[in-house]
């Protein structure tokens, strides 16, 4: 019953900004840690950022200072604000909810940074 749905991906110029959303359903969202991952064509999926149930955030070095992860528990939604985007940020972005039973993943949303 758990579903994670990403949205907000788009084509954007270098230096631009996007905000991604991950809407969760079928779960008690507020008690779960959440994370953002990304995967470029031909590359393995890499971790981008994590936010705990209490709002503590961590970031990959590649996005630190440019991306901000946040959550709105009332809306069962997690966000990734992406600023100063670079071509290397081009990837499919996925949200993840880890549990002791299994990890849940969304379907991904495409971010393309190009001029």
């Amino acid at each position: 019953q758990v579903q994670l749905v990403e949205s907000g991906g788009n084509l954007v110029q270098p230096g631009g900004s996007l905000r991604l959303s991950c809407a969760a359903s079928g779960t008690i969202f507020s008690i779960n840690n959440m994370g953002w991952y990304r995967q470029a064509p031909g590359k393995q999926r890499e971790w981008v950022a994590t936010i705990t149930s209490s709002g503590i955030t961590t970031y990959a070095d590649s996005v630190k200072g440019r991306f901000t992860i946040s959550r709105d528990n009332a809306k069962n939604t997690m966000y990734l604000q992406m600023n100063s985007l670079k071509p290397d940020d081009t990837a499919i972005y996925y949200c993840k909810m880890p549990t002791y039973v299994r990890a849940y993943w969304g379907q991904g949303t495409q971010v393309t940074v190009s001029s």
Side-chain angles (χ1 to χ4, degrees), residues 60-78:
D61 288 342
S62 59
V63 306
K64 195 172 298 181
R66 300 187 298 120
F67 291 10
T68 303
I69 187 172
S70 62
R71 65 193 297 161
D72 186 338
N73 289 339
K75 296 181 178 180
N76 283 4
T77 301
M78 176 180 65

Side-chain angles (χ1 to χ4, degrees), residues 6-53:
E6 301 94 336
S7 62
N10 215 327
L11 171 66
V12 64
Q13 294 184 355
S17 298
L18 285 173
R19 189 181 74 160
L20 307 183
S21 299
C22 173
S25 62
T27 184
I28 306 176
F29 178 81
S30 62
I31 68 173
N32 287 105
N33 297 343
M34 298 289 293
W36 284 101
Y37 291 72
R38 66 187 183 185
Q39 187 170 24
K43 307 290 185 179
Q44 65 181 4
R45 192 169 298 184
E46 65 175 349
W47 168 73
V48 174
T50 297
I51 184 166
T52 70
S53 59

Side-chain angles (χ1 to χ4, degrees), residues 78-111:
M78 176 180 65
Y79 304 96
L80 185 68
Q81 178 65 48
M82 305 185 295
N83 299 326
S84 302
L85 283 162
K86 306 174 181 179
D88 285 349
D89 296 320
T90 296
I92 301 175
Y93 284 71
Y94 299 89
C95 61
K96 176 187 177 182
M97 175 183 290
T99 74
Y100 286 105
V101 178
R102 58 162 291 184
Y104 293 92
W105 295 87
Q107 85 291 341
T109 185
Q110 177 70 51
V111 172

